[in-house]
Amino acid sequence: MILDTVRLRLRPVAVSDVDAMVDLDSDPMVMRYVSGGIATPREVIEEWVVPRAQAEQRAHRTGMWAAQDRYSTAFFGWFALRTPRHSNRSELELSYRLRRDAWGRGLATEAAHALLTMSFSEIGAERVFASTMAVNTPSRRVMEKIGMRLSAIHMSDDELVSSAGGGEVEYELLRSHWETTTMRWSEGTSRPWSPTAPASWAPRHRRVRGLTA
């Protein structure tokens, strides 16, 4: 499924994105809070990341979306929704990674908001969560801007995690909270509007009103 926001086009990742994804993960600043600055090997992206994302999409309608400029098609990074393997809850994990030249422009907020909307209104998730290093303030701000709340703090004895800035924080957004914050009141009536999941999968190309920050 393709999602269009104000400035972005989000489309499922493909093998043709491998070069751009390798370049993205080769930036030590991008990977600072992911691997301590270590680049992801090309074979991992080519043989594991992309195939896994495509399998997720086939099985759960989730996976990974390449984020492109809507007009120039420039690659900004990716956003992902993953179904946790060891969870009995109806929940999805949100993650994202952007090129350094795309930072500070509200693009992460815009795309993440679109995927949240799809998670609750199309897929029918009851909870969406995301995690990052506790010291990763920019990523935490994105989570807060899209309505997520701090739900857990995880400390770690792992040397790599400690050297990168301590433990992890987890944020979440529950479907019930999302519905109450996105209700639209119709003119002349007191009945609220709330999104409902369709009986069948939505069209493959949809325009989503983007949220910028």
Side-chain angles (χ1 to χ4, degrees):
M1 181 178 185
I2 296 174
L3 300 175
D4 281 342
T5 68
V6 174
R7 295 172 292 174
L8 298 172
R9 169 157 292 177
L10 304 176
R11 58 164 181 75
V13 295
V15 175
S16 58
D17 295 312
V18 169
D19 287 343
M21 294 171 70
V22 170
D23 182 63
L24 174 69
D25 283 13
S26 295
D27 186 336
M29 289 299 293
V30 170
M31 302 299 288
R32 178 182 178 185
Y33 298 118
V34 179
S35 63
I38 301 173
T40 306
R42 181 185 182 90
E43 57 268 23
V44 172
I45 295 175
E46 197 168 41
E47 300 174 10
W48 188 78
V49 175
V50 172
R52 181 189 181 191
Q54 293 174 330
E56 277 266 337
Q57 187 171 59
R58 289 191 297 268
H60 306 291
R61 299 178 297 181
T62 53
M64 183 180 290
W65 286 260
Q68 296 180 315
D69 184 288
R70 281 192 63 190
Y71 305 101
S72 70
T73 71
F75 178 87
F76 287 135
W78 55 258
F79 292 79
L81 288 172
R82 186 179 68 87
T83 304
R85 295 183 178 180
H86 304 292
S87 174
N88 295 322
R89 304 178 65 179
S90 176
E91 61 182 3
L92 296 172
E93 180 178 10
L94 171 70
S95 58
Y96 41 84
R97 196 170 300 167
L98 290 177
R99 295 175 57 90
R100 204 189 317 181
D101 56 12
W103 294 358
R105 298 165 55 184
L107 296 175
T109 304
E110 185 174 316
H113 180 265
L115 288 181
L116 276 181
T117 300
M118 186 185 73
S119 297
F120 293 122
S121 65
E122 303 287 354
I123 298 177
E126 294 298 323
R127 175 180 183 258
V128 178
F129 68 96
S131 60
T132 187
M133 300 296 296
V135 296
N136 190 355
T137 302
S139 188
R140 295 180 67 171
R141 285 176 179 164
V142 171
M143 297 172 192
E144 291 165 358
K145 286 177 183 177
I146 61 177
M148 287 185 161
R149 300 173 177 177
L150 181 64
S151 59
I153 299 175
H154 305 289
M155 301 308 295
S156 176
D157 295 326
D158 184 90
E159 184 177 344
L160 178 61
V161 173
S162 298
S163 64
E168 286 190 345
V169 289
E170 181 179 295
Y171 283 74
E172 69 175 10
L173 182 60
L174 303 180
R175 180 184 182 86
S176 57
H177 180 64
W178 176 79
E179 289 179 335
T180 59
T181 56
T182 57
M183 282 182 177
R184 300 175 183 175
W185 294 83
S186 302
E187 293 183 3
T189 179
S190 61
R191 293 179 61 82
W193 173 92
S194 61
T196 56
S200 60
W201 182 229
R204 292 185 60 81
H205 192 162
R206 165 167 290 192
R207 170 69 184 274
V208 176
R209 184 177 299 278
L211 175 68
T212 59

